[in-house]
């Protein structure tokens, strides 16, 4: 698992120099949910608020994320992907998919199916202290 995590971090850096694995993950979540508060990101990923704040600040400086007032509560700032953020995310996502396709191209269908089942099972774990 350590090798897997190291490779994922290294791959994110190769795909876009401004995009760490954490940044890529945050951008993906913002796209998936259509925007959210930084505190929501911290809670979702069980990260410290200061960690998320640093990542968000870097993404804002890179022009990949912007803050907008929440229409329901003008005091709240909601993070959204910019056009550049959506573009970079799409590029990195396609690069990752191409890398996965290349790496798995020679695997027999049975192995791919088993691997997919294991990933689903692994990702379904709710975390420590949470019930499934």
């Amino acid at each position: 698992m350590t090798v897997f995590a190291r490779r994922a971090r290294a791959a994110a850096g190769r795909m876009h120099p401004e995009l760490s694995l954490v940044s890529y993950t945050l951008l993906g979540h913002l796209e998936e949910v259509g925007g959210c508060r930084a505190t929501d990101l911290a809670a979702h990923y069980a990260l410290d608020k200061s960690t998320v704040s640093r990542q968000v600040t870097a993404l804002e400086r890179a022009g990949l994320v912007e803050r907008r007032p929440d229409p329901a509560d003008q005091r709240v700032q909601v993070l959204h992907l910019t056009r550049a953020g959506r573009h970079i995310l799409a590029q990195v996502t396609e690069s990752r998919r191409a890398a996965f396709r290349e790496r798995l191209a020679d695997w027999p269908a049975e192995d791919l199916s088993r691997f997919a089942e294991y990933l689903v099972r692994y990702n379904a774990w709710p975390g420590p202290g949470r019930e499934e």
Side-chain angles (χ1 to χ4, degrees):
M1 291 305 294
T2 302
V3 171
F4 181 79
R6 264 192 230 129
R7 285 183 177 164
R9 282 190 298 272
R14 283 192 306 273
M15 289 180 211
H16 193 278
E18 296 174 18
L19 216 53
S20 70
L21 182 58
V22 172
S23 296
Y24 174 77
T25 304
L26 297 180
L27 289 177
H29 185 73
L30 288 173
E31 180 182 55
E32 184 179 316
V33 300
C36 67
R37 299 172 305 161
T39 55
D40 297 331
L41 285 173
H44 180 77
Y45 289 107
L47 294 170
D48 186 74
K49 290 178 189 176
S50 65
T51 300
V52 171
S53 178
R54 283 190 300 276
Q55 293 291 328
V56 167
T57 297
L59 292 170
E60 284 181 297
R61 283 190 192 131
L64 305 178
V65 168
E66 65 185 0
R67 294 177 192 265
R68 297 185 206 151
D70 185 339
D73 183 349
Q74 295 292 311
R75 299 169 297 171
V76 175
Q77 296 288 306
V78 178
L79 301 168
H80 291 275
L81 294 179
T82 62
R83 179 177 291 161
R86 285 190 298 279
H87 179 73
I88 295 275
L89 182 62
Q91 281 183 322
V92 173
T93 298
E94 182 49 41
S95 294
R96 288 177 61 121
R97 286 181 180 156
F100 288 136
R101 282 191 297 272
E102 181 180 349
R103 186 168 212 144
L104 301 173
D106 296 335
W107 286 32
E110 183 180 306
D111 288 352
L112 287 171
S113 179
R114 191 176 306 117
F115 183 57
E117 289 171 16
Y118 290 148
L119 286 173
V120 167
R121 182 175 163 191
Y122 180 83
N123 287 324
W125 186 61
R130 297 181 186 161
E131 297 201 15
E132 289 188 51

